[in-house]
Amino acid sequence: MKHLSLVAAFCLLAAPAFAGQCPADIAAIDAALAAGPDLSAEQITQVETWRDEGAALHDAGDHDASVATLAQAKDMLGLN
């Protein structure tokens, strides 16, 4: 029972951590896009799509999916 309580507490504490990561990821993507990355027009469009999808997922409260989607954009920008 003690272990179950610890796991439950960890899960409750981890969710806000992911929620806080999303805005930082979005800001990093925006800054990289503003700097004019060395990507094709198609790649920039894909990064912008992932950024917008990640922001929408964050706003909807799906922070795990938001972090994963934003990670794809960061990878393409070379931020990870």
Side-chain angles (χ1 to χ4, degrees), residues 48-66:
E48 291 171 341
T49 299
W50 283 326
R51 183 252 183 243
D52 293 343
E53 287 176 11
L57 289 164
H58 169 75
D59 292 342
D62 190 352
H63 301 291
D64 291 337
S66 176

Side-chain angles (χ1 to χ4, degrees), residues 1-78:
M1 186 65 153
K2 187 176 190 179
H3 295 292
L4 182 61
S5 296
L6 287 174
V7 170
F10 176 75
C11 289
L12 289 174
L13 293 174
F18 282 125
Q21 182 178 345
C22 302
D25 287 348
I26 292 167
I29 292 165
D30 289 346
L33 287 171
D38 188 21
L39 299 174
S40 70
E42 282 182 6
Q43 289 173 313
I44 290 173
T45 298
Q46 182 62 62
V47 167
E48 291 171 341
T49 299
W50 283 326
R51 183 252 183 243
D52 293 343
E53 287 176 11
L57 289 164
H58 169 75
D59 292 342
D62 190 352
H63 301 291
D64 291 337
S66 176
V67 169
T69 301
L70 294 170
Q72 291 177 303
K74 288 173 58 181
D75 284 343
M76 189 171 282
L77 289 165

